[in-house]
Amino acid sequence: MKLFQIEEPDGSPSDPDAPGAAVGIDASGALAEVAVAVGGNAAMLADREGFERALPVPAADASAAEWQALFEGAKLRAERGLARPVTHAVVALAAMPDRAAALILLQAAAAAGLDVLRVVPVDEFAKGETPAEAAAIMAEDLASRPETP
């Protein structure tokens, strides 16, 4: 009997302490959309067929639990689509929340395992840009990356 060893393509396991992917979350409409950017090129992320999950956007004054459910769903969609951890996000909203609502939003994201890099009102994006994709490009630019030797 022969045994085979299966390794990562480069021969080493991935670093569990490395930051995960950064995504853009558009929470400006009735349903949230999630996108990722690589090299400044953004793409929308969708749930796999048979695993579709609606991501309803809570009201601006919603509880932390409702916002956490949204962030958990967005993170799950992104991690399934990318097949890697997601740890950072830029969140696009219809309007900037007040201080109390922003704190709830940030706490809910942290509870879902996301570090919010920035909250952006959609009117800050250029006309014709998809808010989720524009937020993803911003997230890619803002996310910390490990230093290369």
Side-chain angles (χ1 to χ4, degrees):
M1 179 163 136
K2 292 184 179 183
L3 297 177
F4 293 95
Q5 182 175 352
I6 299 173
E7 297 181 1
E8 293 293 321
D10 68 351
S12 63
S14 61
D15 181 2
D17 296 324
V23 297
I25 301 172
D26 176 16
S28 65
L31 294 175
E33 294 182 322
V34 183
V36 67
V38 177
N41 297 309
M44 298 297 291
L45 296 171
D47 290 322
R48 201 173 60 217
E49 187 176 330
F51 293 91
E52 295 90 353
R53 179 177 179 182
L55 298 175
V57 175
D61 61 351
S63 70
E66 292 176 88
W67 280 104
Q68 183 177 343
L70 169 70
F71 290 126
E72 287 171 348
K75 182 178 177 175
L76 181 64
R77 176 179 292 173
E79 288 180 340
R80 283 179 174 168
L82 299 172
R84 65 182 272 213
V86 172
T87 57
H88 296 80
V90 168
V91 180
L93 298 173
M96 282 301 289
D98 63 31
R99 188 179 194 107
L103 183 60
I104 289 171
L105 187 133
L106 294 175
Q107 290 172 340
L114 287 173
D115 180 13
V116 174
L117 300 168
R118 189 161 175 217
V119 176
V120 184
V122 293
D123 61 1
E124 280 193 22
F125 298 126
K127 296 273 189 223
E129 280 187 308
T130 303
E133 292 178 343
I137 292 168
M138 186 178 288
E140 180 188 30
D141 290 342
L142 295 173
S144 61
R145 297 290 176 231
E147 305 227 358
T148 55

